[in-house]
């Protein structure tokens, strides 16, 4: 994704999030007359997988494949179905069957808007934060041996922007299943090579 396109998407999402937050910040009573701004909180863990394109020009490498990882989120429930909080994940993409990998860690502040439909709660939002991406590309040798290896290694920080959407299903009043998808975008200097693509998350959320 080119730099101008990424900046346009980032600006649009940030403006949308600010607009939603301003709407929800109005202290108007709901149907029960409740004027509390913070209505509860939740948190949980999620596993994820996805299909990424990993293009590393210095190593003349382009690899498409699966990534796997784990992480979690913690959110405050605000008025009018708006939620804010934080989340963080680590995601690893292995390839070449010799120990080569790309590992992405990111965390940030999230905001989403949800709609309660019986036991279901669909939502849409965005996470803004940062992280690091690590590339280890072995050209000669294997990670299983003690011989000298020829490899590329690079670790770089980035600014993260991840729009997402998903749905929760209430098993009980306090336990929910969650299914969501996102598209993590990384922004850094010109010499930046980022595995990108959609990820699918599944896990449990515990609410209060």
């Amino acid at each position: 994704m080119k730099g101008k396109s990424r900046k346009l998407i980032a600006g649009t999402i940030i403006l949308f999030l600010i607009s939603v937050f301003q709407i929800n910040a109005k202290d108007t009573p709901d149907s029960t007359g409740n004027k509390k701004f913070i209505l509860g909180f939740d948190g949980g863990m999620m596993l994820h997988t996805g299909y990424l394109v990993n293009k590393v020009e210095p190593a003349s490498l382009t690899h498409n494949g699966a990534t796997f990882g784990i992480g979690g989120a913690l959110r405050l429930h605000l008025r009018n179905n708006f939620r804010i909080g934080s989340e963080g994940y680590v995601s690893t993409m292995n390839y070449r069957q010799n120990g080569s990998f790309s590992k992405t860690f990111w965390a940030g502040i999230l905001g989403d808007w949800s709609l309660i439909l019986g036991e279901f709660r669909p939502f849409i939002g965005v996470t803004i934060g940062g992280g690091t991406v690590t590339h280890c590309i072995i050209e000669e040798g294997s990670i299983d041996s003690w011989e000298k290896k020829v490899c590329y290694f690079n670790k770089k920080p980035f600014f993260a922007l991840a729009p997402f959407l998903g749905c929760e299903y209430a098993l009980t009043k306090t336990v929910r299943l969650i299914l969501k998808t996102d598209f993590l975008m990384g922004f850094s200097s010109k010499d930046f090579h980022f595995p990108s693509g959609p990820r699918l998350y599944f896990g449990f959320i515990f609410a209060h």
Side-chain angles (χ1 to χ4, degrees):
M1 187 180 292
K2 294 183 178 179
K4 290 184 178 179
S5 299
R6 287 184 175 183
K7 290 178 181 178
L8 179 61
I9 294 173
T12 302
I13 292 174
I14 291 172
L15 288 175
F16 169 77
L17 185 59
I18 292 173
S19 300
V20 172
F21 182 79
Q22 289 176 339
I23 292 172
N24 282 273
K26 295 179 180 179
D27 190 20
T28 55
D30 59 18
S31 58
T32 64
N34 186 0
K35 291 186 178 181
K36 289 183 179 179
F37 185 59
I38 299 177
L39 304 179
F41 62 90
D42 66 36
M45 299 292 293
M46 285 168 270
L47 300 174
H48 69 261
T49 186
Y51 186 81
L52 306 184
V53 177
N54 189 39
K55 187 175 183 180
V56 185
E57 294 177 0
S60 300
L61 170 71
T62 298
H63 178 80
N64 304 342
T67 187
F68 300 94
I70 190 171
L74 181 66
R75 303 171 298 191
L76 292 176
H77 297 207
L78 308 182
R79 295 196 51 76
N80 299 325
N81 299 327
F82 188 65
R83 302 180 294 190
I84 61 172
S86 63
E87 64 177 355
Y89 303 93
V90 61
S91 188
T92 303
M93 180 184 188
N94 296 302
Y95 46 89
R96 287 193 170 183
Q97 297 181 344
N98 66 353
S100 298
F101 67 89
S102 291
K103 180 178 290 186
T104 307
F105 164 78
W106 73 101
I109 303 299
L110 69 84
D112 72 27
W113 181 83
S114 62
L115 185 62
I116 300 175
L117 301 172
E119 305 300 323
F120 294 91
R121 187 168 190 158
F123 59 87
I124 184 171
V126 64
T127 297
I128 301 172
T132 58
V133 58
T134 303
H135 297 286
C136 179
I137 304 168
I138 299 175
E139 291 290 340
E140 295 180 15
S142 170
I143 197 172
D144 297 323
S145 68
W146 285 96
E147 63 185 3
K148 290 184 179 180
K149 301 172 181 62
V150 177
C151 70
Y152 294 89
F153 185 87
N154 182 269
K155 185 175 184 179
K156 202 154 201 175
F158 64 89
F159 170 76
L161 184 66
F164 59 81
L165 59 88
C167 187
E168 298 169 18
Y169 177 76
L171 296 175
T172 67
K173 277 189 174 182
T174 58
V175 181
R176 303 173 188 156
L177 292 176
I178 182 171
L179 182 68
K180 79 165 191 173
T181 184
D182 73 0
F183 194 98
L184 176 65
M185 294 177 284
F187 305 84
S188 190
S189 62
K190 291 182 179 179
D191 186 22
F192 181 59
H193 308 280
F194 191 71
S196 61
R199 289 176 172 84
L200 184 66
Y201 300 74
F202 176 80
F204 290 90
I205 296 294
F206 301 93
H208 176 74

